[in-house]
Every structure is written in structure tokens, then in C-alpha cells.
Amino acid sequence: MSRSTTSTVAAPAVSAADVGPTSDHMRLAGYWACFRGIVWREVLRFLHQRERFLSALVRPLVWLFIFAAGFRQVLGVSIIPPYQSYVLYETFVTPGLVGMILLFNAMQSSLSMVYDRETGAMRTLLVSPFPRSFLLTSKIIGGVAVAMLQAYVFLAVAYYWEIEPGAPPIPLPFGFAIPHPFAGYITVAPALFLSGLMLGALALFMSSVIRQLENFAGVMNFVIFPMFFASSALYPLWRIKESSPLLYEICRLNPFTYVVELIRFGYHGQVDWVSLAVVLGCTVLFLGAAIYAYNPSKGLIGRRGGPGAGA
Amino acid sequence: MMPASVQPRDTAAAMEALSVSGVSHAFGDRKALDGVSLTVPHGTFVVLLGLNGAGKSTLFSLITRLYDNVSGEIRILGHDVRRRPTAALQRLGVVFQSRTLDTDLTLIQNLQYHAALHGLSGRDAQQRCRAALERVGLTDRADAKVRALSGGQARRVEIARSLLQRPSLLLLDEPTVGLDIGSRESVMNIVRSLVAKEGMGVLWATHLIDEIAPTDQIVLLHKGRILYTGGVPGFIGAAGADSVRNAFRKLTGTSASAESDVE
């Protein structure tokens, strides 16, 4: 009792002296500088890895040009929201492929985090005096920035393949408006950001659980492929229901389905509220789990020994 | 200026750049650290001497708060690492054992990233980065990619990076591993001049006996326990040996062959 009284009285004096000479750069401007620095590093690193950029772009384009062209004849897509008319399979699959870019990118950054942790770059990040939850969230947002960059390059190529977003024009003041095809690129942005955040948080949590670098093959087999194929990315859910009710239920439980739908609707200037709610909920859940896993006192790293624990 | 403005409750602890007391840590059943206590006063070069697996890296993980110490207390300039991590970590510079620079980025980009991690930006950050590079004698390589550097140069960049936040305590985890003799010397000289000129407290973890200077403080860590703390003459005396090398062998009970394994 007396102890707590003492500390309450002493608190202002101590904290003022405590923050002392370095206080000015630890305030809001410091947070902003830190956030900007982390995102800037992710983007810079990505731009320097040309092979990564190319493969990230080629993968969805191969799907679009080859897979979709073949499926076009086999699979008719009937009128389902958000579409108001029959659409070509290419148009249907494009949001799914954008989701694929986000998914791959998040898992790749999870890989880089396992790798980072081994080389110590993750430790460099975590030794920063800013709160760890802030650092980890900034790191995820850096990954999202990279993923969105890729998604937009992909959508630009798709535009020349005559795949256009279906969003109505966005009215601006003074009678101006963002015209039809371009409006969709703006309305899809929040969906991309939120989806990237959710997948990035999931990947970050996984990075704290996976120990070895080699396990990325396992991540491919057990996370990326099931998530991608058991979703509405490649075929509409009613189609899946016709062939397998069980698979349909799995797809409905897969958060990636809602990522794809959120992007699909956003691309067409609409909001799918169910998807928005699911993606938001999963983001909070995964982010919480990731921050917990990296928490120095409660998390998994202390118990498992963390990087370089052998010595 | 910095130490004067710090007013921790415990004045004795404020005299130390680092104080570790009664810290134990276990991974499952394996006890990595057992009741470890040590201090690094300002302006002192402390060698944390131990074989691989002695617990040096675990201790570093705890001091840098990768994970929390469950028992005991760690204070950096009087700030408890667990209770007030922000204040503690602000005054800490670290050079990790593994290479932690982005090899595709330039020296200056690497330093700018680290400055940002400490909330520094703009002209202030620019100046600090330039000054830090000058300190380690790499100003002319500022725009070179890290990939193009030698191992010793990369280490010097990492030291420059750890100085950006103007730390009072510098931790180095086996910083000379894999470096040739010339690079080792230049890294040691830079760090020793920081101790002499800036009054920085340095904790230098190593298993290489020839890195110890006669004026250094030694902390001998073996299998998670501290076997000796104090000056070099006392170290030799405590073992009843004729040299640091033999004292180290005697105290840790390692034969010459075991040691060459380590090398």
C-alpha cells in the first residue's frame, strides 16, 4: 500500500527525468519516423530483389493467361453478386489471383521473418525502444505495401488483357468524377490493405511457431495451397456446392474465401459486409496471436529459446 | 549530460552502465543461466569470457529483452529492462553475433533504417549517420552496397550503427568471429577508444583469450555460472596460473584440445 503511494507521488518526477534528453524523438514524430523507416526498408529491399519481383508477377499472370484461358470454355460463371451480367472467367478469377499475390507475399515475408530471426535482423528490429506491438504491426504494414505494389502491377497488366474493374465512377466536387475503369482501382485499395494485414498477421504468427527455414515447403503444402484452392478464388462457391457439400463447408470456413470476396466486391465498387466483418475479425485475432507469440514475457520465444539459443 | 539527467531511485545502480543481479534462465529442463550477477561500470571494458554454450548468448538475449528474465534483475543505467524497456533500450547499443545488415542496401541506407528504429529522422539522422561512419573510417564507402564490403568492414558498419542512438552501454557478442587479424585489431581499437574517450561501458563477449588487455575486467561464465569477476591479475592469481590462457583452462577445466575445438 505504502509502496504504491510512493511510486504514484514519485512518478511524474521520475518519468520526466527518465525520458530526459532523448524524449523529443520518442514522441509522435519518433513513432512516425520509426514506422516510415520500417516500411521504407521493406519496399527498398523488395525493389532490389528483381527475381522476387518478377516471380511474384509471373505467377498470377501464368494463371491468368493459361489457366483462365483453358477454363473459360469449361466453366461458365452465372450472374452472382457483385456481377450484374455474365462475366468471362478471366474477370471472375482476377480478384482471386490478386488474393493469391497477397497470400504468397505474406507467406514469403513470414519466411523472411524466420530467416531474419536466424540472421539477427529480427533482433535488430526488436531491440528498438518502441513498443513491440508497434514494431511488429509496422513490419506487417511494410509487407502489405510491397504486396499492394505487386497487386497493382498485376492489375495494370490485366487491364491490357481487357480485364477492367466494374466499379461505377466516383463523383468528385465541381462536377468532376473518377471515370469508370479507374474508380475500381481506388475502391479495391482498402480491401487490399485489410486483406494484406490479415494474411501478414497470420504469417507473422506462423513465423514464431516455425523454427526452420526449410519448412517453407511445408508452408506451401499445408497453408498456401489448401487456403488457395479451398476458397472462392478459382470457382464460385455454388459450383463447389454442386460437386461437394463438404468442400463447400470447408470453403466457407476458410478466411481466405472472405479475403477474395472482399477484393472482388471492392474491385467492383461494392462492400460485402460479411466478408469485411470476417476479415476484420481474423485480422484482430491473428495480430493478437502474433503479438502474444513475440511478447518477451508471455510469448513463445522465451520458452523455446529463440534465435541462437544454443550458445 | 545523459547520466546527469538520469535520476533512478537506486543511486548505486546509476553508477553502472549495466547491472545484472541474480539472473537465472532455463529452457525446459536445461538451465542456461544460474544466478548470474555482473556489472559494467561507465568507461570500462568488460570481457565476458566463456566457451560456446556457456550462456553468453542467452544473457545477451535477456539484456536486449528478446525475452524476459524470470528471476533476478537487469538494469541499464538504472532502468529495469523488464519494467521500463523503452528507457533501458534507448541507451543500449548492440552488435549481434550474426550479420544483421541488409546486404542489398547501401551503408547509409542501413544506418538510416536503424536511426528510424530509434525514432530519428531528417537532418539529425543524416548527421548522426555520417558521423558514425566517420567514426569507423568508412565515410568514403557510404553509398556502397554492404554486399561489396569485407567482413571486417561490415562489422565496423554494425558498430557505427549501434552508436547512432548515442548509447551509454555497448554489447558485442563475439564481434571478431571470422575476421582476419587486421580487421580484428581495427574493430578492437574502435571499441576501446569508445571506452577511453566517451566513457562508454562495453560488455564484450568472446571465447578468444588474446582479446583480453591487462586493464580489462573479466567475467568468466562457464555452464551458466559465473566463476570469476575482477581484474586480469586477480584472474591469474585466483587460478594460481602463470598466464590468462592457463588460468582460463584451469578454471573451466578444459584441456588444450577442447579449446582448439572451440577455435
Side-chain angles (χ1 to χ4, degrees):
Chain A
M1 184 61 208
S2 67
R3 245 183 97 153
S4 71
T5 323
T6 322
S7 65
T8 323
V9 174
V14 169
S15 64
D18 171 31
V19 187
T22 38
S23 66
D24 43 325
H25 64 255
M26 291 304 293
R27 297 220 185 96
L28 214 57
Y31 275 87
W32 172 238
C34 182
F35 171 77
R36 218 178 34 187
I38 293 172
V39 172
W40 171 82
R41 170 185 178 253
E42 292 294 317
V43 174
L44 210 59
R45 252 162 48 112
F46 173 70
L47 293 178
H48 278 101
Q49 298 171 329
R50 295 231 173 74
E51 321 83 60
R52 190 177 151 201
F53 187 82
L54 270 176
S55 73
L57 195 61
V58 164
R59 196 180 303 117
L61 285 176
V62 165
W63 280 78
L64 185 64
F65 294 153
I66 299 171
F67 184 81
F71 253 53
R72 186 176 180 167
Q73 306 304 328
V74 186
L75 205 77
V77 179
S78 74
I79 304 172
I80 47 162
Y83 306 111
Q84 278 137 16
S85 61
Y86 285 101
V87 291
L88 287 177
Y89 184 68
E90 284 98 320
T91 305
F92 175 83
V93 84
T94 295
L97 294 178
V98 171
M100 178 203 235
I101 293 175
L102 298 183
L103 180 65
F104 257 94
N105 220 61
M107 292 305 150
Q108 212 153 27
S109 77
S110 147
L111 163 87
S112 98
M113 255 181 267
V114 176
Y115 178 74
D116 273 356
R117 226 171 61 188
E118 280 168 6
T119 57
M122 192 65 180
R123 299 187 62 172
T124 314
L125 177 74
L126 295 182
V127 83
S128 157
F130 289 98
R132 199 164 283 189
S133 53
F134 169 76
L135 295 170
L136 293 172
T137 310
S138 302
K139 172 114 177 154
I140 295 174
I141 292 176
V144 174
V146 169
M148 283 180 73
L149 210 71
Q150 294 171 25
Y152 275 111
V153 173
F154 169 73
L155 286 176
V157 176
Y159 174 79
Y160 286 100
W161 197 249
E162 293 181 345
I163 297 163
E164 294 180 354
I170 302 172
L172 294 174
F174 309 115
F176 291 102
I178 299 170
H180 155 66
F182 302 107
Y185 296 117
I186 291 166
T187 54
V188 79
L192 292 179
F193 180 78
L194 193 60
S195 303
L197 209 58
M198 181 196 107
L199 295 169
L202 173 66
L204 179 63
F205 173 68
M206 283 170 47
S207 80
S208 69
V209 184
I210 304 170
R211 291 215 71 177
Q212 245 89 51
L213 199 60
E214 299 83 60
N215 286 354
F216 191 64
V219 174
M220 284 281 277
N221 286 330
F222 293 105
V223 180
I224 294 183
F225 286 152
M227 264 185 116
F228 182 65
F229 288 116
S231 77
S232 59
L234 295 179
Y235 1 80
L237 285 185
W238 64 266
R239 274 269 175 187
I240 299 168
K241 197 177 182 180
E242 274 179 358
S243 49
S244 162
L246 175 68
L247 187 57
Y248 172 71
E249 291 304 324
I250 292 173
C251 290
R252 273 166 38 100
L253 289 175
N254 181 358
F256 189 68
T257 294
Y258 300 93
V259 164
V260 171
E261 291 309 306
L262 191 69
I263 295 169
R264 195 189 303 287
F265 277 74
Y267 193 56
H268 286 267
Q270 297 173 36
V271 180
D272 182 25
W273 295 103
V274 175
S275 297
L276 181 63
V278 172
V279 173
L280 260 178
C282 285
T283 304
V284 172
L285 185 75
F286 295 153
L287 201 56
I291 289 169
Y292 179 85
Y294 274 96
N295 182 315
S297 57
K298 302 188 183 77
L300 304 166
I301 38 176
R303 235 164 285 158
R304 304 170 67 105
Chain B
M1 163 153 185
M2 230 197 282
S5 66
V6 179
Q7 301 284 329
R9 289 154 220 171
D10 187 357
T11 342
M15 301 308 289
E16 323 289 2
L18 171 72
S19 83
V20 175
S21 57
V23 168
S24 300
H25 199 82
F27 301 113
D29 294 336
R30 194 172 62 84
K31 217 163 193 192
L33 292 175
D34 190 2
V36 168
S37 301
L38 61 94
T39 55
V40 179
H42 290 292
T44 313
F45 192 98
V46 178
V47 178
L48 179 63
L49 192 59
L51 299 168
N52 292 349
K56 301 192 295 282
S57 291
T58 305
L59 184 60
F60 272 47
S61 294
L62 291 172
I63 298 171
T64 56
R65 201 173 176 256
L66 183 67
Y67 33 87
D68 276 341
N69 50 313
V70 274
S71 63
E73 195 179 62
I74 299 173
R75 285 175 179 268
I76 298 172
L77 267 117
H79 300 290
D80 191 309
V81 172
R82 199 170 52 186
R83 294 210 195 106
R84 295 202 296 196
T86 303
L89 294 179
Q90 257 177 305
R91 292 166 175 90
L92 170 70
V94 194
V95 175
F96 290 110
Q97 188 174 355
S98 52
R99 301 292 148 94
T100 58
L101 297 168
D102 290 317
T103 51
D104 286 326
L105 305 189
T106 66
L107 270 61
I108 206 83
Q109 284 169 338
N110 268 287
L111 294 184
Q112 277 167 350
Y113 167 60
H114 194 78
L117 285 182
H118 282 266
L120 302 165
S121 62
R123 194 161 294 167
D124 182 29
Q126 286 284 355
Q127 280 168 355
R128 286 189 193 216
C129 292
R130 297 276 165 195
L133 274 187
E134 204 181 319
R135 182 75 119 315
V136 298
L138 286 170
T139 306
D140 53 326
R141 306 297 306 270
D143 295 312
K145 288 195 175 182
V146 170
R147 192 179 291 287
L149 299 184
S150 71
Q153 287 173 326
R155 262 298 181 237
R156 275 148 65 192
V157 176
E158 287 184 311
I159 291 171
R161 185 176 67 172
S162 71
L163 299 177
L164 290 172
Q165 66 267 28
R166 299 188 180 130
S168 312
L169 171 68
L170 194 59
L171 300 183
L172 303 103
D173 192 359
E174 308 242 6
T176 57
V177 164
L179 301 187
D180 61 48
I181 295 173
S183 304
R184 265 175 73 182
E185 245 165 46
S186 89
V187 166
M188 298 239 20
N189 288 341
I190 290 167
V191 175
R192 285 191 185 277
S193 91
L194 289 170
V195 174
K197 289 186 191 146
E198 322 245 331
M200 212 176 271
V202 166
L203 184 63
W204 175 287
T206 188
H207 64 262
L208 302 171
I209 287 128
D210 50 359
E211 289 180 352
I212 300 169
T215 52
D216 291 343
Q217 294 288 306
I218 296 178
V219 174
L220 178 61
L221 186 67
H222 187 60
K223 294 182 179 164
R225 289 167 184 271
I226 300 275
L227 296 186
Y228 175 82
T229 53
V232 175
F235 182 65
I236 298 169
D242 54 351
S243 69
V244 176
R245 183 173 298 274
N246 287 334
F248 178 67
R249 275 184 200 154
K250 263 193 161 167
L251 288 172
T252 57
T254 45
S255 63
S257 66
E259 198 188 327
S260 63
D261 265 4
V262 168
E263 293 278 345

